[in-house]
Amino acid sequence: MLLLLILVACSCSNGVLSLAEKELLSLKRLPTAPAPPRFLHKSKSGATILEMRHRKHLQKGLILDDVRVESIQSRIKNIVSGHVESSQARVPISSGIKLQTLNYIVTVTLGSRNLTVIVDTGSDLSWVQCQPCRLCYTQPEPLFNPLVSPSYRSVQCNSQPCQTLQSNTGNSGLCGSNAPRCNYAVTYGDGSYTRGELGRDRLTLGTTPVEDFVFGCGRNNRGLFGAASGLMGLGRSDLSLISQTSDVFGAVFSYCLPDSDSGTSGSLILGNDTSVFKNTTPISYTRLVPNPQLYSFYILNMTGATVGGVPLQSLSFGGNGVLIDSGTVITRLPPSVYTSVKAEFLRQFTGYPSAPSFSILDTCFNLSAYEEVNIPTLKMQFEGDAEMSVDVTGMFYFVKRDASQVCLALTSLAYEDEIGIIGNYQQRNTRVIYDTKQMQVGFAKEVCSFN
């Protein structure tokens, strides 16, 4: 008892305490709304860092997340069937709390306009809503106006970016009727879309300028984008931000996603200077699985998992690989893997009253009578002895603020042969490094704090 009291007294300020392979989660701490996103020009060791925050819980968010996952699986099925010195950029990455999205956002400068965009490793073309707009959703920031940006130029039909639209977005570039400008149309599997013209302008990430950045100037946009001004595509195709800035940042980027309830900010770091990381464990790397048909996705070979330190046995983790995606919220596991994870979690997390399921989440509890609970945490293992530990804040989804409905923040895919997806909820307080030059992804524990 004395040892337990000492351990509790030493618990950290965020209410989380490690106990071997379990962690204590304080239930006295109610979710609080973070401050509005900040745009900071902040440089350290040659790195410009973008602040990242998360959006607080939205009931509709999990339904929309399920639609996104279905669209990714549909996109995969359709596809399958048919040395320069690098700079650094460090940019705050933050919650979309004011922008009605469960995804993470960053603020960048395009031309001379500050714009807040969703960070998405599952997309390639970056785009923003533009004036004059024929059909745009409501956003709090003024629309980007190419007419007042002296550095803006239209992309022509005979240019390479226009000619590569088909492979990058699934839609070929179309020439406008009045001028040889390259029009684009991107339709996402959930029915969301953006349409407009390709343009070039100066993109500034923190303090680092990127000249002639190709992006979509959206004149007709509808869908699941909340109130963000657009989207930043961090996929691997030619039109993604990572490919376009490879001569500046060496085709390497990383992020640390903060807890949605903490009110803190994380960071998006472009470049390969690990000295600016604040990781508390060594970085472990796993290789990117090459797949010519799915080349723009980040696919890993998952080899195992533990729940509360107990290895899960006899599971075919490595079958189809697993995507790691910042734009998906809740991790999807193959049915056999999810069943095993859920069974072991329930074996260890016993004696707590159950609560009704919520949306896509089927394992829920009523914890309103408890001040803190000891939660078995999940570790995912990958080829090459790499490991990603799910933070305690990524284990439970708080449906109700009084903890009367708290759900295991994992769910199952519909079919065994679908590709699993590691969502952003389970990536919290982890430094995730994407090295597309060395074809590897790294993981390390880190408390995601921009300051």
Side-chain angles (χ1 to χ4, degrees), residues 50 86-87 89 91 106 119-126 168 203 205 210 213-214 231-255 268-272 288 295-298 326 432-441:
L50 291 181
S86 64
S87 299
V91 191
V106 295
V119 174
D120 190 0
T121 60
S123 297
D124 294 292
L125 180 68
S126 300
N168 285 277
L203 175 69
L205 301 165
V210 178
F213 180 70
V214 176
L231 181 144
M232 175 188 288
L234 295 179
R236 297 173 56 198
S237 78
D238 294 341
L239 286 182
S240 75
L241 182 143
I242 303 308
S243 295
Q244 289 194 57
T245 61
S246 61
D247 59 337
V248 180
F249 303 121
V252 179
F253 72 98
S254 71
Y255 54 64
L268 170 66
I269 298 179
L270 296 115
N272 196 26
L288 278 170
Y295 67 92
S296 67
F297 289 113
Y298 296 96
S326 68
V432 184
I433 304 102
Y434 297 77
D435 186 340
T436 63
K437 181 172 288 186
Q438 299 296 324
M439 287 291 290
Q440 61 184 6
V441 170

Side-chain angles (χ1 to χ4, degrees), residues 71-87:
S71 73
I72 289 176
Q73 298 297 339
S74 175
R75 179 179 165 194
I76 290 171
K77 290 174 183 176
N78 289 337
I79 293 172
V80 170
S81 62
H83 181 70
V84 177
E85 265 191 55
S86 64
S87 299

Side-chain angles (χ1 to χ4, degrees), residues 16-222:
V16 175
L17 172 66
S18 292
L19 288 174
E21 296 294 329
K22 297 185 179 182
E23 295 185 15
L24 276 179
L25 176 66
S26 172
L27 301 177
K28 295 183 290 185
R29 197 181 43 140
L30 293 180
T32 56
R38 297 173 292 156
F39 178 71
L40 302 178
H41 294 278
K42 202 163 187 177
S43 183
K44 181 180 180 181
S45 302
T48 305
I49 302 171
L50 291 181
E51 178 184 31
M52 295 183 81
R53 292 193 193 135
H54 189 265
R55 170 69 170 100
K56 71 176 181 180
H57 307 106
L58 295 176
Q59 261 197 2
K60 196 167 74 168
L62 292 185
I63 299 173
L64 302 183
D65 192 48
D66 211 33
V67 174
R68 174 188 172 90
V69 170
E70 289 178 4
S71 73
I72 289 176
Q73 298 297 339
S74 175
R75 179 179 165 194
I76 290 171
K77 290 174 183 176
N78 289 337
I79 293 172
V80 170
S81 62
H83 181 70
V84 177
E85 265 191 55
S86 64
S87 299
Q88 299 287 326
R90 184 179 180 221
V91 191
I93 188 167
S94 56
S95 161
I97 187 164
K98 298 185 70 176
L99 303 183
Q100 302 164 13
T101 173
L102 283 168
N103 290 315
Y104 288 84
I105 54 175
V106 295
T107 301
V108 300
T109 302
L110 189 61
S112 58
R113 172 72 65 191
N114 289 353
L115 297 169
T116 303
V117 293
I118 294 170
V119 174
D120 190 0
T121 60
S123 297
D124 294 292
L125 180 68
S126 300
W127 59 270
V128 296
Q129 297 200 111
C130 282
Q131 291 183 354
C133 192
R134 290 186 290 274
L135 182 64
C136 282
Y137 56 84
T138 302
Q139 66 178 56
E141 298 171 335
L143 298 180
F144 178 77
N145 188 349
L147 296 179
V148 300
S149 176
S151 50
Y152 179 86
R153 292 183 294 125
S154 295
V155 171
Q156 303 302 301
C157 280
N158 59 357
S159 66
Q160 183 180 4
C162 191
Q163 293 171 358
T164 59
L165 268 176
Q166 178 66 47
S167 61
N168 285 277
T169 67
N171 296 278
S172 59
L174 302 173
C175 292
S177 56
N178 299 324
R181 296 176 179 175
C182 181
N183 293 334
Y184 78 92
V186 178
T187 301
Y188 303 94
D190 54 23
S192 303
Y193 62 84
T194 175
R195 301 166 189 160
E197 66 179 46
L198 285 190
R200 296 179 185 267
D201 210 332
R202 178 185 299 109
L203 175 69
T204 305
L205 301 165
T207 57
T208 306
V210 178
E211 302 296 337
D212 292 328
F213 180 70
V214 176
F215 67 100
C217 197
R219 315 281 189 182
N220 190 331
N221 317 291
R222 274 291 181 269

Side-chain angles (χ1 to χ4, degrees), residues 275-337:
S275 68
V276 299
F277 298 168
K278 301 176 182 178
N279 52 299
T280 57
T281 63
I283 302 170
S284 60
Y285 285 97
T286 185
R287 72 182 180 98
L288 278 170
V289 177
N291 189 323
Q293 294 177 304
L294 306 175
Y295 67 92
S296 67
F297 289 113
Y298 296 96
I299 302 177
L300 312 177
N301 183 18
M302 187 174 175
T303 57
T306 64
V307 175
V310 177
L312 303 182
Q313 303 294 330
S314 303
L315 296 174
S316 55
F317 288 100
N320 296 316
V322 59
L323 302 180
I324 183 166
D325 180 26
S326 68
T328 296
V329 181
I330 299 295
T331 292
R332 284 4 185 242
L333 298 171
S336 64
V337 178

